[in-house]
Amino acid sequence: MEIFTLTDKIDDKIVSSLILYTVKLPSRYLGVIEEVQTQQEYRMQGRATKLIKEAIEKGKELGLDCIELTVRQDKPEIQEFYKKLGFFDRLNLAYRYEL
């Protein structure tokens, strides 16, 4: 597993970030994007789009088979954001067990 933190900065201040990590599974070499965040006052400026595209390029460099991420069902605007970037809904129900 490798973990990468991608950031967008203004004057050394991080205004947007995401985490990309890799997992080698028997069936595929997978990338997972987590914790995509942009500070409120910097949203709608293309910053998250830039970081997602950087993560996709990093995935290509690493030879990943695919990149996955999770979007909440109650956030259709975020779902559309990722669809515009080429992601698609796998239509699987992801279940979680809270510890």
Side-chain angles (χ1 to χ4, degrees):
M1 177 189 297
E2 293 181 278
I3 301 171
F4 304 91
T5 302
L6 304 178
T7 60
D8 184 22
K9 296 179 180 180
I10 296 177
D11 299 327
D12 294 328
K13 175 184 175 184
I14 296 173
V15 297
S16 189
S17 65
L18 66 75
I19 296 170
L20 170 68
Y21 66 89
T22 64
V23 181
K24 288 188 180 182
L25 301 170
S27 60
R28 65 193 178 282
Y29 186 25
L30 170 68
V32 180
I33 292 175
E34 296 278 358
E35 301 297 329
V36 179
Q37 300 178 4
T38 301
Q39 291 184 23
Q40 185 71 37
E41 62 269 28
Y42 297 100
R43 292 182 184 167
M44 304 304 292
Q45 298 177 9
R47 297 180 184 283
T49 299
K50 176 185 162 204
L51 291 179
I52 295 291
K53 288 179 178 180
E54 286 180 21
I56 291 168
E57 287 304 310
K58 185 67 174 176
K60 289 176 182 177
E61 290 173 20
L62 294 169
L64 300 179
D65 295 307
C66 61
I67 296 176
E68 297 180 354
L69 50 81
T70 303
V71 181
R72 290 178 22 182
Q73 287 185 336
D74 65 341
K75 297 290 185 180
E77 68 281 4
I78 305 300
Q79 294 167 21
E80 287 304 312
F81 166 74
Y82 287 114
K83 286 178 185 177
K84 286 179 183 176
L85 290 170
F87 289 83
F88 61 92
D89 187 350
R90 294 178 51 217
L91 300 177
N92 64 335
L93 297 175
Y95 292 84
R96 178 179 288 165
Y97 184 91
E98 294 285 345
L99 298 174

